[in-house]
Amino acid sequence: MNQYIGLDVSLKDTAISIREDGKRIWRGKCPSDPKLLAETIRKHAPHARRVVFETGPLSTWFYHALTNEGFPAICIEARHAQKILHETLNKTDANDADGLAQMAEAGFYKAVRVKSFDAMTTRALVAARDKLVHISTQLGNQIRGVMKTFGLIVPEGKGRIFDGNVRELLAGNDNLARIILPLLDAWRDIRKRAAILDRQLLAAARQSQSTMLLTTIPGIGAITAISYVAAIEHPQNFRTSRSIGAWLGLTTRRYQSGEVDYDGHISRRGDNHLRALLYEAATVMLTRTGARTESRLKDWGLKLRERLGFKRAAVAVARKLAVIMHTMLKTGEIFNPSASAIV
C-alpha cells in the first residue's frame, strides 16, 4: 500500500499528515529536524510514495536530508499550493499538512527543482558580497549627507580618496568628527570585508570553466556569470534554451478570456537578483562603445531601442542574453558576435 505524506514546515515544528486509499491514517507534529522527521515517517508510513512540502527557508535542507534518508521528497511551488490551501475554512498547520497530503495523493502539484548545496553556497557568497557593498554605499551616503548639513561638501572619489577627503574636511571640527569618524571607520572595515568576498568570488569564477565561458559575452562579468551558472546548475535542467526567459520572468504576461486577449508587463517571476544582473548586463551592452562590445545582438537591441524605448529594449536584450548563455553552456562554444540575434 502506498502512503502519501504532507509536511507543513516551520522553524520549530513540522506538522505531518499521512494518507492512504483516499483517507487520512495519521497526523501529528515533529521537531523540524529531518532525522527525527525520517524516523516518524518510517514509523507511521513505511511505504511512503511521496513526501510533499512547500518551498521555504528550510526546503533545501529538508529536501536533500530526506532524499539521503531514502524518501521520495518533492518540493512544490508555494504560490500554487497556497491557492488550494486557502480554500480550507480554518487555517492551521495541521490543515495545511492535510491539504499537502491530498495534493501528494492526487498528484496535483507543481514540483520545483531544488538546488544543490554547492549552488546555494555560491548564491550565499554573491548575496553576502552584495549586502556588504550595499551597506558601504549607505554609510558613504550617510557621511556625505551629514557633512552637507554643516556646509562640508565631500568631493567625488572612492576608497582612499573618499577617506582622505572626509578627514581633511573634518580637521579642526572636533564635535562633528566625533560623529563622522566612527561611521568612516565602519565604512572602511566593511569595504575590507567586501574585498575579501570579492577575492573569493573571483577565485571561484576562475575555477569554473562554465563561468569563464560566459564572461566572453560583452557586459557579462564574473558576478553575473557565476550567478547564472549557480541558478541553472546544469543546462539539461531546461528542455529548451527559450524557456530560460520565462523561468527568469523576462517574458510578458498574457491575459486571455473570451474576446479579451492582451499582453502585459514582464512576469518578474523567478530569481530577482539574476534578472537584475542580466538587465544590468544588457544596459552595459547597449550603452558602452568599443570594438569588444560590437555584435549583432547589440545592433538588434539598438534598433529596438529606437522603436520601443530603452527600458523595453534592455529587457528584450536581457532575455536574449539568458537564452544565449544557456545555449553556450550546452554547446561549450564561446560568444560569437556575428551570430544572429534571433533566438
Side-chain angles (χ1 to χ4, degrees):
M1 304 299 291
N2 293 323
Q3 287 107 25
Y4 301 89
I5 298 95
L7 305 178
D8 186 68
V9 180
S10 65
L11 291 176
K12 184 178 180 180
D13 296 315
T14 296
I16 309 170
S17 178
I18 302 174
R19 295 180 64 85
E20 181 181 309
D21 290 336
K23 60 182 180 180
R24 187 180 67 220
I25 61 174
W26 186 85
R27 75 174 177 179
K29 277 192 173 184
C30 176
S32 292
D33 184 320
K35 291 186 177 181
L36 298 177
L37 194 58
E39 294 176 1
T40 303
I41 293 175
R42 287 195 184 97
K43 179 179 178 181
H44 298 281
H47 305 291
R49 177 70 181 276
R50 298 187 188 113
V51 180
V52 170
F53 51 93
E54 301 172 84
T55 54
L58 303 181
S59 58
T60 301
W61 175 38
F62 268 57
Y63 176 84
H64 291 295
L66 291 175
T67 300
N68 291 337
E69 292 287 341
F71 291 105
I74 300 173
C75 185
I76 68 174
E77 176 59 58
R79 287 191 299 262
H80 295 179
Q82 289 304 312
K83 293 180 180 179
I84 298 175
L85 299 180
H86 284 168
E87 295 299 319
T88 58
L89 182 61
N90 298 314
K91 173 69 172 69
T92 66
D93 292 344
N95 286 343
D96 285 350
D98 283 342
L100 292 171
Q102 292 180 41
M103 294 170 65
E105 187 172 23
F108 188 69
Y109 55 80
K110 182 178 181 180
V112 299
R113 174 173 56 87
V114 179
K115 294 180 176 62
S116 65
F117 282 124
D118 288 339
M120 294 303 294
T121 300
T122 300
R123 289 167 61 88
L125 175 59
V126 173
R129 180 259 179 195
D130 287 346
K131 178 60 71 174
L132 290 181
V133 170
H134 178 68
I135 293 173
S136 68
T137 302
Q138 285 186 317
L139 285 174
N141 292 337
Q142 178 73 10
I143 291 170
R144 290 179 182 274
V146 172
M147 294 183 68
K148 283 180 183 179
T149 305
F150 298 92
L152 303 175
I153 309 301
V154 182
E156 292 186 3
K158 298 180 180 180
R160 293 181 180 177
I161 296 176
F162 175 77
D163 187 289
N165 289 335
V166 171
R167 294 182 185 277
E168 182 178 351
L169 289 172
L170 290 174
N173 194 336
D174 295 337
N175 291 333
L176 187 59
R178 282 194 290 268
I179 300 172
I180 296 298
L181 289 181
L183 289 175
L184 190 62
D185 291 340
W187 170 85
R188 187 175 59 251
D189 290 343
I190 289 175
R191 282 178 58 87
K192 289 180 180 178
R193 304 298 186 274
I196 293 173
L197 295 184
D198 267 336
R199 290 192 289 271
Q200 293 181 23
L201 196 57
L202 291 175
R206 294 191 184 100
Q207 293 174 1
S208 171
Q209 293 182 353
S210 298
T211 301
M212 298 306 295
L213 178 69
L214 296 182
T215 55
T216 61
I217 304 175
I220 300 296
I223 295 175
T224 304
I226 201 170
S227 298
Y228 187 91
V229 172
I232 299 299
E233 291 193 274
H234 303 289
Q236 294 76 16
N237 288 329
F238 297 86
R239 189 174 58 181
T240 63
S241 297
R242 292 175 64 89
S243 63
I244 297 291
W247 183 71
L248 287 174
L250 289 168
T251 55
T252 56
R253 302 176 67 176
R254 185 185 180 193
Y255 179 86
Q256 189 275 326
S257 178
E259 302 300 323
V260 179
D261 189 356
Y262 65 86
D263 293 329
H265 297 289
I266 59 173
S267 65
R268 300 190 181 187
R269 296 293 181 90
D271 193 326
N272 294 331
H273 182 253
L274 180 57
R275 184 170 59 252
L277 289 174
L278 290 172
Y279 182 85
E280 182 180 349
T283 301
V284 170
M285 178 176 287
L286 293 176
T287 56
R288 294 187 181 177
T289 58
R292 186 179 181 276
T293 62
E294 297 302 319
S295 65
R296 293 185 66 180
L297 176 60
K298 179 180 178 179
D299 294 340
W300 175 83
L302 292 175
K303 292 178 181 178
L304 204 62
R305 184 179 68 176
E306 295 176 359
R307 187 160 52 90
L308 300 177
F310 180 81
K311 288 186 177 180
R312 290 186 177 181
V315 169
V317 172
R319 184 190 69 81
K320 289 188 179 292
L321 278 174
V323 175
I324 290 171
M325 291 165 75
H326 182 263
T327 302
M328 290 171 61
L329 291 179
K330 285 198 303 184
T331 62
E333 299 177 357
I334 64 173
F335 179 70
N336 182 8
S338 61
S340 174
I342 301 176
V343 289

